[in-house]
Amino acid sequence: MDRPWTSGFDKRPVVGPLRLGLTNLDGDGQADLVHHGGPDKAILAYSADHYDGWRHELQMPDLPFGAFGENFTVEGLTEAKVCLGDIWQVGESVLQVSQPRQPCWKLARRWRIKSLALQVQESGRTGWYFRVLQEGVVAPGLSLQRLECAHPEWTVERANDVMHFDKDNLNLAAALAAIRPLAASWKATLMKRAERKAHSDPVMRLIGPNEP
């Protein structure tokens, strides 16, 4: 936990408007551009509804919004209500749900809880990524309005289940990979599974490169 590491994970609230570009908010950034960031991961959203549960489970009553590295902490939306490909408007910007978030070891390192990334993955309370279809200005307190839901059968919750738990169902893997708005990295992983019955090893992502 004490070894050096670099991250853009430690988020702080903003009080005014920010411009949202195709890859991130003004002033935001990612340290590891191989695994984070890019058009498919421009904005990480996390449900405010999950925080009371985490505060109790982790015995951290002061766990602040933004603790899971999210750009948007959203109230009233969860993985069970948000679907892949959903198009949402917030302020001047138009966003599309691209994939569930796959938590990594930096979340555990941030809060010094070695198993936290795995706990988040197994709970299904992962959050999700947006790609930006239309740039614009956003600000705290704005509402998200859903403009389109083309794949109501593919909630973020269900996609998480296929990726992490129902791994032997190759038909579901292929069906999920066929969802056009799904991020390219998820498509590649799922097609590899469906065509070659090959599973990626999540240990490096969850535990990190510096662990024995």
Side-chain angles (χ1 to χ4, degrees), residues 85-98:
D86 276 1
I87 296 177
W88 297 78
Q89 181 161 7
V90 54
E92 300 174 348
S93 296
V94 178
L95 314 175
Q96 184 177 46
V97 178
S98 57

Side-chain angles (χ1 to χ4, degrees), residues 22-88:
L22 292 178
T23 55
N24 54 30
L25 287 159
D26 280 358
D28 190 26
Q30 299 83 25
D32 177 5
L33 293 177
V34 174
H35 299 102
H36 301 285
D40 283 343
K41 299 179 182 179
I43 292 293
L44 174 60
Y46 199 76
S47 178
D49 300 13
H50 295 330
Y51 270 85
D52 283 346
W54 284 122
R55 288 165 182 156
H56 174 73
E57 291 168 34
L58 300 176
Q59 299 183 34
M60 299 174 68
D62 298 323
L63 192 70
F65 289 146
F68 292 85
E70 71 268 23
N71 305 107
F72 291 171
T73 309
V74 296
E75 186 177 34
L77 295 176
T78 66
E79 294 78 5
K81 298 177 180 179
V82 174
C83 302
L84 296 174
D86 276 1
I87 296 177
W88 297 78

Side-chain angles (χ1 to χ4, degrees), residues 44-190:
L44 174 60
Y46 199 76
S47 178
D49 300 13
H50 295 330
Y51 270 85
D52 283 346
W54 284 122
R55 288 165 182 156
H56 174 73
E57 291 168 34
L58 300 176
Q59 299 183 34
M60 299 174 68
D62 298 323
L63 192 70
F65 289 146
F68 292 85
E70 71 268 23
N71 305 107
F72 291 171
T73 309
V74 296
E75 186 177 34
L77 295 176
T78 66
E79 294 78 5
K81 298 177 180 179
V82 174
C83 302
L84 296 174
D86 276 1
I87 296 177
W88 297 78
Q89 181 161 7
V90 54
E92 300 174 348
S93 296
V94 178
L95 314 175
Q96 184 177 46
V97 178
S98 57
Q99 67 167 78
R101 185 258 195 97
Q102 290 184 291
C104 80
W105 60 272
K106 291 186 177 183
L107 174 59
R109 190 73 62 89
R110 169 70 178 85
W111 296 108
R112 301 181 68 82
I113 302 172
K114 187 174 181 179
S115 65
L116 185 55
L118 181 60
Q119 288 183 55
V120 170
Q121 178 172 292
E122 292 191 338
S123 74
R125 294 172 287 177
T126 59
W128 58 90
Y129 282 105
F130 288 115
R131 63 170 60 90
V132 178
L133 301 181
Q134 178 178 303
E135 299 174 299
V137 174
V138 297
L142 294 178
S143 62
L144 277 79
Q145 302 293 329
R146 181 153 37 193
L147 304 180
E148 180 181 316
C149 181
H151 301 283
E153 75 281 12
W154 279 111
T155 62
V156 171
E157 180 180 68
R158 188 182 182 205
N160 269 330
D161 187 65
V162 171
M163 177 63 82
H164 300 301
F165 301 106
D166 198 3
K167 294 183 177 182
D168 293 327
N169 193 323
L170 304 185
N171 289 333
L172 272 182
L176 177 53
I179 300 298
R180 181 172 293 182
L182 185 66
S185 61
W186 269 59
K187 284 180 178 288
T189 297
L190 291 163

